[in-house]
Structures are given as structure tokens and as C-alpha cells.
Amino acid sequence: MSAKLNALNSDSYIDVSQYRDQHFKGNRYEQEKLLKQSHTLYVGNLSFYTTEEQVHELFSKSGDIKRIIIGLDKIKKTACGFCFVEYYTRADAEHAMRFINGTRLDDRIIRTDWDAGFKEGRQYGRGKSGGQVRDEYRQDYDPARGGYGKLAQQHRSTEARNSF
Amino acid sequence: MFCSFSAAGGQAHKRRRTSEPIEIEDRLESLICRVGEKSTSSLESNLEGLAGVLEADLPNYKNKILRILCAVARLLPEKLTVYTTLVGLLNARNYNFGGEFVEAMIRQLKETLKNNLYNEAVYLVRFLSDLVNCHVIAAPSMVAMFENFVSVTQEEDVPQVRSDWFVYVVLSCLPWVGKELYEKKDVEMDRLLSQVEGYLKRRVKIHVPMLQVWTAEKPHPQEEYLDCLWAQIQKLKKDRWQERHILRPYIAFDSVLCEALQHNLPPFTPPGHMPDAQYPMPRVVFRMFDYTDAPEGPVMPGSHSVERFVIEENLHCIIKTHWKERKTCLLGSLGHGKHFKLVENIHLSFFSQVIFGELFQLPSPPHMDVMYTTLLIELCKLQPGSLPQVLAQATEMLYMRLDTMNTSCVDRLINWFAHHLSNFQFRWSWDDWADCLTVDLEKPKPKFVKEVLEKCMRLSYHQRIIDIVPPTFSALIPADPTFTYKYIDESTSSLPGYPAAINVGNAIKNRASNEEILTILKEVPNPNQEDDDDEGESFNPLKIDVFLQTLLHLAAKSFSHSFSALGKFHEILKTLTESDEGKLHILKVIYEVWRNHPQMIAVLVDKMVRTQIVDCAAVANWLFSQDMAHEFTRLFIWEILHSTIRKMNKHVQKIQKELEEAKDKLEKQQHKRRDSGDDEEMEKNSEDEDGQLEEQIERLQEKVESAQSEQKNLFLVIFQRFIMLLTEHLVRCETGSVDISTPWYKNCIERLQQIFLMHHATIQQYMGTLENLLFTAELDHHILAVYQQFCALQL
């Protein structure tokens, strides 16, 4: 009786994105398999000042959280604007992708994406300056993410020195 | 998306030669599912074209087409008339197919009823009834089916919710087919409706108070759903069944359809009542705005107009189909999918009322709370010029009626409003609510604002809250979530636990072993005993206090730090909390140190239940204890309690699942053995395997029984405590000749209701025990009424 209609099963908000972790130990196929079964979400575009408590409050709305790992600057060991949220069930993580992705935390629109699973070391930014890669090269001024991008900061200080 | 249908036959033929059957089936599915969506052609021409394609494919794909059409009838109720028209066109071209479709639908209807899928069954019956309008089904045979449904009201000793459902189905089809049925069989229909009227008059409605969002009748009565639908049908009848809002594509095809031969529905006897049947629960209709409230724009239909029913039904269906994809949900609802909108412009007030209606639905919303929050945020993006005002107006109205709003609904309102504000920089005209500052802080309005601000703080930080409210609101601002350490410095050095606290702190910082720490703790005097017991095994509250306060103080920086601490010293904590008193005391200490940070309390209690440092009953006893009486009406208490109950329920379900899986495995293994006829040696190995599995099953069986026993005990503890507290209050009021309806009482009795409503499925297993032990006739009738209302939900 229960004919499942593929055409009606659209659930685009839980689709896997194009991003693949370059440091993942394994091939593309293995990574995709893990992403499709994962209970862990990567959360990006956080303010540097967003706390674990705030993340917990927001992401609890889609289910019970197993743990949160705040992303850290590799050198300074301070929050650098991303985190991982791991749920006890896949279903709860899917609800977060549907209802929390694309909404605001600390006035910023945050982005969630499937993660293959936390491993020690993945809590650190991979940018040269210690933070996230995206903060190395961006040109805009974002007070919640350390101001200007790292490269832009260097240029500014060089300019300032030269103009003096 | 569509190829041109002018050469439909030729195209189909070409497809068959070059494509795989699977591809064609997928394409058929896609064509059928998507008909009526955005297209440059009219709906009528698309339907005409699709009917031609399907007719051509019938010889090879008849069964697939039947299955797809049956599925869309069940799963896409918002496109009902599009698909009935399609079936009508197919029937006109191929009489046999029409007959087979009707038979398939009847089979499907029987299946859905057997599987307790009553909501889907409604859509199927509605589909069949609209097929009368498409000349596929003969009106008299539809009337006969309705007569059989209504005759269920004559059955004896069946739950009222059973006959309710059959009456509801018949009434809910009449907006679609009432006109046609009355034209053909008015005498029979009048008799039918008069039977329904008689039933509705004698129906018992004890359940209604438990399901009403507001206890007051003004400004909008919270009507019982069948009463409301009856009033709407009565009005429709008075209007001679003129219904103008349902999109009816079949009207354009009348000349073709009226040439078609109709089929008679086979006589359909409603399946008899089974003890494990789960009929839908009764509902109360949510009314927040009426047509006088809506600002300029299309008038909202009156509450007893059938248009109201039809449009609300449609919106509920759209949300049900598209809840996972908020953008699609909104496009469908706002009528951007040109062909399946019902009304030119669904007024935003109307739509937001439907969304709030679902959010506040009792016992629980059809979908997760957060889905509605995000849907409304998305709607604000689509309609930034108008929706924010509508939501502000809605919030204002809800605030004004807080005094009579059900506590469970107030909880959801608090969570919704705070989360919503956090997406809009917490902008709100708090001064408009200055009236809440003039009354006792325990009253609903200031309490609401206080809880909202607390939730807002959790999504931001303390200083932010101070910044967003006027200074006059300072009494309602939540406490700064800091740790309160008893042994903080030398000023507290006279406390009996102080020296040990210092030593324990140093030991932890120096990474001492568990043994070393336990040795230090042995020195802590026991205030419960005269002499120092060298064994130190009996319950020593001071020991717990010293250790836990110091540990949590060192780990106070974040949730992760605290979790890590609990994990590291799990052994010590288990030792300290072996007794029930120990478990209770550890919870007490957590509250003492983190009383300014309820969020932290909740996550620590959660962790301790999950790591079995405390059990669920201990949490319940602690929340109901005298020490926590002053916090009893705060939201975080109930969040902790419900979270604890949920963990207990999930635990039981998990072990039950393991048991089922083991049993299945054994059965499969035994089947395999029987079927394959192994030789002697293999048989012996299989028997060993069987033996192992059987042992495992026995162990799991014991585990399940033990878990269920713990679960039952948890509910017994909770209900006992409620009864004690409420009885005390009622007796005190009676002897003092004081009105019982204090804010505390309203909160407490509705919290009791909330336990029943939120966990009704689990509680139903233990009804016998509850009735025999707790909810007996000797109980005060105020408390017993809650229990009786709960029973009425499934009677």
C-alpha cells in the first residue's frame, strides 16, 4: 500500500554540501558515507564572543546535545568563530539543519553543515595566523571576528608604517 | 519542465523505445506529482495533456499509475481537486480504469484504518467524495457509505473517539460534495444529518478544558472541534451548499465528465473496534483573530463560515507536506504555486493564526516548536513590510490574555518569543508592557516577561538584557549567571568544611589520585553523627558539599569544563551518592552553587542522570522537595522534569528495541535451520548459537522489566508529590475560607495536566496502577478532574 513517492520526499535542507574536508583521512567515498550517517554538525560564521552556553541553548531546540566543541585559534587557544555540535541521534541533527541553519545567533546568520565526525586536532583553525582560513584573506571589517582579515591587517600596518 | 503535450501519444511512444522502464516510472511519478505547479499553460490544459499521456501509458504501466494516484490522494490533500479531476478525465476515457482505481482506493482505505492512520484516511474519504463531483462515483453509493459511517454512533461500548472520527469524516467531506449529494438524495442526507445532530448533543465533553489554550470564553470561544465543524456545516446548509473557495478544475470539464459512466462504491462496512486502535484525540479550535481584528485587506471569513474550515484545512495540509522545507511551505501557502492556492490572498493574519494554532495545540504541536519559529522568521523575510506588524499585534494580543492562557502554551510562547527576538536584535517596545511592573511578580504577566528575559539572556549574555530593557524593568532582569562558592575565602574559614575544601581544591589542582582525595574527604566531620565513623560509609552531606562545591568551582568556566570534571571524578561521585539521600544531596548542592544559572543546573543534572550518578526518581524528589518550593513555578524546573521523564522513556524504548531485535534474530536463525536441513555438526553449532541468543533474550527481558518498573515508579513519585502539594493547598484554603485560585495553584494544577498531556502514550500503560493507587474516588474532586479529563482523551 504505502507507495513512497520519491518526488514528494524532497528534503533539500539536509543535503550534503559541496565542502569536503581536505585533511580527512580516507577517500571521498568514505567521507561521503560518514557525512550521510553523521550526527555531528559543523557550525560556521560564529562571533568570536559566542559561548558554548549560547550554542547549547540554540541547538538544543532541535534535540538533546551530546557535546559541543568550540573551535579555537591554534596559537592563541581562543575561540575563532566555529564549533561542532554533536547530537545523540541523526534525526535531531537533521532538524538542526532544517530549522537552525540560516538563522541568527549573536545577531549573525550562522551556517551548519554535516561533519564526518570530530577527531582530536579538528578543533583548531587551519589558517596561517592560527584562526580560520576564511579570516586570513577576507577584506571586510568584522568586529566580531577580530576586525579586518589577517592579510588586510598586515597591509594596513605596513601602510601605516610607510605613511608615517 | 514539461514537454509539449500536443504530441503526447507520439512522445510517449518514442520514450518507451528509448528509455528504461524505471526511468519511465520515475517520470510518470514526477509528472503526476508536479501537475498544477508553476507552468506557462493553464491548469486545465496541463490536466488534459497529462490525462492523454497516462491514458496512452495504461496498457503498460496501469498498476504503477494506480499506485501513484492512490498515493497522491493520501499524501497531497492540498491538491485534492486537481487529482480528482485527473481521475475524472481518465475515467471518462477508460471506464475500466476508473473502476479499478475506486477499488484500489477502497483497499487503501481499509489498510490505513487497520494501521491507525486516521488522518490519512480522512483525505482518502474526502477524495472519494469529490470523485462524485467528477462523475466517477455515483452519489447514492457515497451517501450509503456516509450512512454506514454515521451508524457507528449507534455502536455500544466503544470509545467516543471512535464514533467521533466517523462523524468528523462525513462532516468534513460536505464542503466538497454536500451540494451534489443534497441534489440527488436530500431525504437521506437530512436523515443522516439529524442523526449526527443527535449524536453531537449526547456526546460527552469532559476533555475540553484540558485542550483549551485559554480558560476564558472571551474574546474568542475555544470551541470543541466537532461543535465548530457542525456549526460551519449548518451555515453551509443554510446557504444552500454554495461554497466558493475550493478550486474546482472539474467544472471546466463538465461537458466531458458528465458523459462518463459512474461507478458504485462497493458497500463499505467500517472495520470494528479493536482494543489496540488509536483514534485521533479530540481537539479544540484555536481562535486568536477574527475579521474585526484584521487590518486593511481581504476580510477573514467568519469563524462559522465553511470557508474558514476549508482554508485552514488546506493550510494545515500544506504545512504537513512541506514542514521540512520552509521556503516551499511558504510558497505553497501564500499562493505562489499558482494552481494550488485556494484564495487569492491568504491574509497574513489568517496564516499566522494557523501557525500559532499549531504551535499552541494541546496536547502537543504537530511538529517541533522550532519549526514554527523558523517558518515565521522566513515569512518575515518574504513579507518584511507587513508580517512584522502582524506578529507584533499577535504578541500583544497573546500578552493581554496571559492570565487565562494554559501554562503549557505560555511555555511555548516564552520560547517562541525569545527565540524570535534573538533574530531581530531583541527589538521590542517593552514600555508597552509597563503594566506588568505594577502587580505581584508571581502574576502571569510579569512572570512571562521575566522568563522571556531569562531565555533571551541564554541566547545572548547578561549585559545585553540590561541594555535592551528600560531601567524600570530591572526587577525582571535575570540574575547574572555566576557561581556561588561557599568556601570562597578566609572570611568563610570558620565553616566546618573549609579546611577540607582547601585541601581537596589543592589536591585536584595537583592531579591527586582518587584514593588521595577520598582520604582527604575522610577527615570531613559528619554533621549527622555524634562520633566520627572511621568507615565513613554512611551518608555524610558535608563530604558531598565540600567535594562537589570545590570541584564545580574549579570547573565553573564552561559547560565543557564542568562535564570534564564530572567525568574525571565519576568514581568518587558514585561512591558519595550510593544512597538515595546522597543522590538527593548532590542535587541540592548543584542548585546551591549554580542557583543563578538555571541553564547550568539543567545540563549538569542531565549529565548526572546519563552517567548514573543520580537516578530519575531522585531528580523528581529533589524538584518537589521543600528546598525547591520557592522555585516551583519557574520554567527551568519543569524543563528539567520533562527532560528527565523523556530520558527515562528513551531508555525503556532502547532496551525494548534491543529485545525485539534479538527476538527477530533468533526467529530468522531458526527459520534458516528449518529450511536448509543442515548436517549434524552444523546443527549442533546452530543450537549453541540459539542457546546464546536465548540467554541474551532472557537477560534483555529482565532488563526491560526492570526499566519499566523504574519508569512506572518515576510517574508514581511525580503524581504522588503533586497530589500531596495540591491537597495541602486545597485543605489550607478550605479551612481558611480562602479562594483556592492563587497564581501558584493555577500553575501547579496545569503542570499536573502537562505531565499527562506530554507523556500520555507512556502513562496509558500504567493507568490501572494509577487508578488503584492514586487517582481514587477519595481524592479532592479538583485533582480527580484532571485525571478524568485525561482519561476522556481516549474514551
Side-chain angles (χ1 to χ4, degrees):
Chain A
M1 168 203 77
S2 37
K4 288 227 169 110
L5 295 178
N6 295 327
L8 290 185
N9 283 342
S10 183
D11 199 356
S12 53
Y13 283 76
I14 67 167
D15 285 345
V16 174
S17 77
Q18 301 296 327
Y19 175 86
R20 295 290 177 270
D21 182 3
Q22 298 299 329
H23 293 206
F24 178 77
K25 301 235 166 24
N27 61 39
R28 274 294 145 100
Y29 170 74
E30 285 162 354
Q31 191 174 161
E32 286 196 22
K33 188 156 172 256
L34 286 176
L35 291 175
K36 290 211 168 93
Q37 299 166 346
S38 170
H39 301 185
T40 307
L41 298 179
Y42 162 87
V43 184
N45 199 37
L46 295 178
S47 152
F48 285 12
Y49 306 103
T50 298
T51 60
E52 187 187 349
E53 282 80 345
Q54 286 170 279
V55 173
H56 195 280
E57 176 71 10
L58 181 61
F59 282 84
S60 290
K61 291 180 186 295
S62 75
D64 291 337
I65 296 175
K66 191 169 176 187
R67 67 175 164 168
I68 293 170
I69 296 143
I70 298 286
L72 302 175
D73 181 299
K74 198 167 187 148
I75 300 166
K76 298 190 219 152
K77 302 294 201 289
T78 54
C80 68
F82 73 98
C83 73
F84 297 102
V85 177
E86 187 186 338
Y87 289 91
Y88 288 100
T89 68
R90 165 89 185 177
D92 290 345
E94 286 180 354
H95 289 317
M97 288 289 287
R98 294 184 191 112
F99 308 127
I100 302 178
N101 188 14
T103 65
R104 290 185 192 265
L105 179 57
D106 254 344
D107 301 317
R108 304 171 66 87
I109 295 193
I110 59 171
R111 194 179 58 82
T112 64
D113 197 3
W114 292 107
D115 187 79
F118 177 74
K119 290 224 152 42
E120 181 54 39
R122 297 193 67 235
Q123 71 267 43
Y124 296 112
R126 293 174 182 165
K128 260 186 299 201
S129 318
Q132 290 197 278
V133 171
R134 60 198 295 249
D135 290 312
E136 290 292 313
Y137 302 109
R138 63 178 174 79
Q139 298 289 319
D140 62 317
Y141 180 78
D142 190 345
R145 288 184 73 102
Y148 289 103
K150 290 297 188 294
L151 211 61
Q153 275 178 22
Q154 284 171 18
H155 284 166
R156 278 176 177 262
S157 61
T158 313
E159 265 169 41
R161 258 184 279 123
N162 290 344
S163 66
F164 178 66
Chain B
M1 183 194 312
F2 288 137
C3 51
S4 149
F5 284 104
S6 54
Q11 291 271 27
H13 185 66
K14 231 192 283 176
R15 275 208 315 277
R16 235 172 295 143
R17 248 191 281 131
T18 54
S19 312
E20 296 285 326
I22 297 293
E23 282 177 24
I24 293 182
E25 289 189 3
D26 282 348
R27 186 141 169 76
L28 282 175
E29 216 181 84
S30 175
L31 283 175
I32 295 174
C33 288
R34 298 210 188 292
V35 73
E37 293 176 21
K38 274 198 226 140
S39 163
T40 48
S41 328
S42 70
L43 174 62
E44 285 76 23
S45 81
N46 279 336
L47 280 173
E48 178 94 61
L50 181 56
V53 168
L54 295 179
E55 187 194 5
D57 282 328
L58 280 181
N60 291 322
Y61 296 100
K62 182 184 68 173
N63 285 332
K64 181 68 181 174
I65 293 172
L66 275 176
R67 268 204 308 275
I68 298 172
L69 289 174
C70 281
V72 297
R74 191 167 52 89
L75 300 173
L76 287 178
E78 64 269 20
K79 289 173 77 175
L80 175 78
T81 52
V82 169
Y83 292 117
T84 53
T85 306
L86 180 63
V87 172
L89 291 173
L90 287 172
N91 180 59
R93 296 164 187 236
N94 188 321
Y95 177 77
N96 285 337
F97 177 77
E100 286 188 67
F101 176 74
V102 172
E103 276 169 23
M105 283 287 282
I106 295 291
R107 273 196 306 273
Q108 192 180 211
L109 178 60
K110 288 192 177 129
E111 275 291 307
T112 48
L113 289 176
K114 208 167 81 167
N115 292 321
N116 283 316
L117 295 169
Y118 289 95
N119 292 328
E120 292 186 358
V122 172
Y123 303 145
L124 291 176
V125 177
R126 214 177 271 165
F127 196 95
L128 289 172
S129 69
D130 201 46
L131 284 179
V132 172
N133 293 325
C134 300
H135 299 262
V136 177
I137 290 179
S141 68
M142 195 73 224
V143 174
M145 180 185 253
F146 284 172
E147 282 171 343
N148 281 347
F149 279 16
V150 172
S151 67
V152 171
T153 59
Q154 305 299 322
E155 287 176 7
E156 289 182 356
D157 292 326
V158 293
Q160 182 174 280
V161 284
R162 170 179 161 83
S163 28
D164 279 356
W165 185 81
F166 284 97
V167 166
Y168 173 76
V169 169
V170 171
L171 291 180
S172 76
C173 291
L174 293 182
W176 279 265
V177 76
K179 181 152 183 277
E180 188 67 22
L181 293 185
Y182 252 84
E183 270 172 23
K184 298 276 158 53
K185 287 272 175 184
D186 62 336
V187 170
E188 287 79 355
M189 287 302 292
D190 268 337
R191 193 170 42 220
L192 197 98
L193 287 186
S194 125
Q195 252 190 300
V196 167
E197 187 171 20
Y199 172 72
L200 292 177
K201 283 210 178 90
R202 62 173 196 269
R203 252 176 107 230
V204 166
K205 287 185 280 194
I206 307 175
H207 55 272
V208 171
M210 201 179 222
L211 301 177
Q212 286 175 318
V213 173
W214 291 283
T215 53
E217 282 295 297
K218 291 188 154 50
H220 307 291
Q222 302 291 293
E223 276 183 289
E224 211 268 349
Y225 80 114
L226 271 186
D227 289 342
C228 184
L229 181 55
W230 176 248
Q232 288 162 335
I233 297 299
Q234 291 284 79
K235 184 160 184 299
L236 177 62
K237 183 171 176 215
K238 259 205 207 93
D239 293 341
R240 290 177 307 129
W241 304 101
Q242 299 301 325
E243 191 292 319
R244 265 173 286 272
H245 284 253
I246 296 175
L247 181 78
R248 297 177 195 260
Y250 38 80
I251 294 177
F253 293 104
D254 198 49
S255 53
V256 167
L257 294 178
C258 69
E259 297 294 312
L261 290 174
Q262 293 164 36
H263 305 266
N264 283 320
L265 276 175
F268 186 90
T269 322
H273 172 63
M274 303 295 286
D276 61 344
Q278 284 157 20
Y279 303 102
M281 270 194 266
R283 308 183 278 294
V284 167
V285 177
F286 180 78
R287 290 277 179 262
M288 196 173 99
F289 295 119
D290 63 30
Y291 61 93
T292 59
D293 295 317
E296 308 88 40
V299 163
M300 203 185 307
S303 54
H304 283 168
S305 77
V306 86
E307 282 76 22
R308 195 71 176 253
F309 172 76
V310 163
I311 298 172
E312 281 178 357
E313 261 297 284
N314 192 62
L315 289 175
H316 286 304
C317 288
I318 291 176
I319 296 175
K320 184 163 186 265
T321 307
H322 298 289
W323 63 272
K324 293 187 200 154
E325 293 181 308
R326 57 216 201 216
K327 286 205 174 78
T328 315
C329 200
L330 292 179
L331 292 180
S333 310
L334 293 181
H336 292 271
K338 198 165 104 183
H339 294 301
F340 61 94
K341 72 178 173 184
L342 280 190
V343 179
E344 274 307 311
N345 293 297
I346 303 269
H347 200 282
L348 286 179
S349 307
F350 199 165
F351 188 36
S352 48
Q353 181 177 253
V354 169
I355 295 180
F356 280 118
E358 287 202 8
L359 178 63
F360 295 134
Q361 187 174 301
L362 294 168
S364 42
H367 304 285
M368 308 185 80
D369 289 25
V370 69
M371 189 282 280
Y372 301 102
T373 312
T374 305
L375 193 60
L376 287 172
I377 292 172
E378 195 70 36
L379 192 52
C380 282
K381 278 199 240 168
L382 275 180
Q383 305 272 349
S386 40
L387 188 69
Q389 284 97 290
V390 171
L391 287 184
Q393 188 187 20
T395 309
E396 183 62 39
M397 291 176 68
L398 293 166
Y399 170 81
M400 289 202 308
R401 300 180 61 190
L402 277 172
D403 288 338
T404 55
M405 193 185 219
N406 183 296
T407 303
S408 303
C409 300
V410 176
D411 289 353
R412 296 180 211 164
L413 180 59
I414 291 165
N415 281 316
W416 168 73
F417 189 50
H419 188 186
H420 181 83
L421 285 181
S422 76
N423 273 267
F424 297 96
Q425 298 104 41
F426 296 107
R427 274 181 276 122
W428 183 251
S429 45
W430 299 98
D431 276 317
D432 288 352
W433 289 352
D435 65 329
C436 77
L437 301 170
T438 59
V439 296
D440 167 23
L441 290 185
E442 276 299 303
K443 284 254 151 72
K445 282 180 183 162
K447 201 154 174 45
F448 168 76
V449 174
K450 214 160 169 262
E451 297 282 3
V452 165
L453 292 179
E454 199 178 305
K455 289 283 176 175
C456 287
M457 182 178 73
R458 292 196 197 189
L459 289 168
S460 59
Y461 48 94
H462 190 246
Q463 184 59 43
R464 188 78 190 272
I465 306 306
I466 300 176
D467 292 339
I468 64 170
V469 296
T472 43
F473 276 67
S474 55
L476 300 179
I477 292 176
D480 196 2
T482 52
F483 187 93
T484 308
Y485 188 38
K486 190 191 240 176
Y487 307 105
I488 187 140
D489 57 26
E490 267 138 40
S491 67
T492 60
S493 57
S494 57
L495 291 170
Y498 183 82
I502 299 291
N503 293 336
V504 166
N506 289 331
I508 294 175
K509 280 186 254 186
N510 294 327
R511 302 175 195 276
S513 70
N514 284 356
E515 288 74 42
E516 291 172 278
I517 296 178
L518 281 170
T519 311
I520 298 173
L521 288 175
K522 273 212 185 95
E523 301 307 313
V524 175
N526 190 338
N528 288 348
Q529 290 179 313
E530 289 283 308
D531 317 288
D532 242 291
D533 189 335
D534 261 359
E535 296 306 307
E537 287 310 329
S538 62
F539 165 58
N540 181 343
L542 192 56
K543 217 193 253 192
I544 296 176
D545 194 66
V546 162
F547 179 68
L548 194 57
Q549 286 232 12
T550 308
L551 178 65
L552 290 181
H553 181 231
L554 289 171
K557 185 156 182 230
S558 76
F559 288 178
S560 286
H561 287 84
S562 298
F563 294 161
S564 180
L566 289 182
K568 236 175 173 175
F569 295 98
H570 184 255
E571 259 181 64
I572 297 186
L573 290 167
K574 286 266 325 183
T575 317
L576 291 173
T577 60
E578 253 169 338
S579 65
D580 282 347
E581 302 153 296
K583 293 185 171 69
L584 207 54
H585 197 74
I586 205 176
L587 293 164
K588 220 175 139 184
V589 173
I590 292 197
Y591 172 74
E592 266 179 42
V593 296
W594 279 120
R595 68 186 94 113
N596 290 330
H597 198 349
Q599 190 194 13
M600 175 67 96
I601 297 177
V603 303
L604 289 178
V605 171
D606 174 82
K607 211 41 122 181
M608 296 205 302
V609 170
R610 288 185 192 271
T611 54
Q612 297 170 336
I613 295 173
V614 298
D615 59 5
C616 296
V619 176
N621 278 318
W622 163 64
L623 291 171
F624 280 94
S625 69
Q626 191 52 39
D627 289 329
M628 296 301 280
H630 63 295
E631 303 279 38
F632 195 69
T633 57
R634 281 183 70 186
L635 182 50
F636 82 92
I637 297 289
W638 302 99
E639 288 177 339
I640 293 176
L641 183 61
H642 286 290
S643 167
T644 306
I645 298 173
R646 273 197 308 271
K647 279 192 278 282
M648 181 80 250
N649 295 348
K650 283 196 184 141
H651 174 68
V652 171
Q653 280 164 6
K654 180 160 165 273
I655 310 179
Q656 277 171 333
K657 190 160 167 246
E658 282 173 28
L659 177 61
E660 288 310 305
E661 282 169 359
K663 281 186 178 163
D664 281 345
K665 205 168 156 203
L666 182 66
E667 213 182 293
K668 276 200 190 101
Q669 242 175 252
Q670 288 173 333
H671 271 175
K672 244 174 75 183
R673 264 219 343 264
R674 247 176 288 159
D675 292 341
S676 56
D678 292 320
D679 62 43
E680 248 184 62
E681 168 141 358
M682 284 188 73
E683 237 191 76
K684 184 163 183 310
N685 288 342
S686 306
E687 270 172 28
D688 283 342
E689 271 177 41
D690 273 7
Q692 274 180 3
L693 257 184
E694 277 164 5
E695 255 182 63
Q696 191 189 16
I697 289 177
E698 220 182 284
R699 261 182 283 125
L700 282 173
Q701 191 77 54
E702 277 171 25
K703 248 179 120 178
V704 165
E705 277 162 20
S706 150
Q708 281 175 329
S709 167
E710 199 189 330
Q711 184 183 52
K712 180 160 80 168
N713 184 54
L714 176 61
F715 282 110
L716 281 176
V717 165
I718 293 171
F719 287 130
Q720 263 165 353
R721 294 299 215 135
F722 264 115
I723 290 174
M724 274 162 50
L725 279 175
L726 287 166
T727 308
E728 234 180 76
H729 170 86
L730 290 166
V731 165
R732 213 181 316 124
C733 289
E734 214 178 311
T735 32
S737 298
V738 172
D739 183 18
I740 59 167
S741 303
T742 59
W744 179 91
Y745 174 74
K746 178 180 186 286
N747 185 286
C748 189
I749 198 107
E750 287 178 1
R751 290 295 178 195
L752 172 59
Q753 261 179 10
Q754 190 182 38
I755 303 283
F756 281 113
L757 291 175
M758 280 179 70
H759 307 285
H760 58 87
T762 317
I763 293 174
Q764 236 131 34
Q765 298 166 47
Y766 304 120
M767 297 283 271
T769 312
L770 292 177
E771 209 158 310
N772 288 334
L773 288 186
L774 296 178
F775 294 98
T776 60
E778 285 93 55
L779 211 53
D780 184 300
H781 68 95
H782 293 97
I783 310 173
L784 198 54
V786 173
Y787 179 71
Q788 287 165 341
Q789 285 164 16
F790 167 69
C791 294
L793 289 180
Q794 267 296 302
L795 282 182

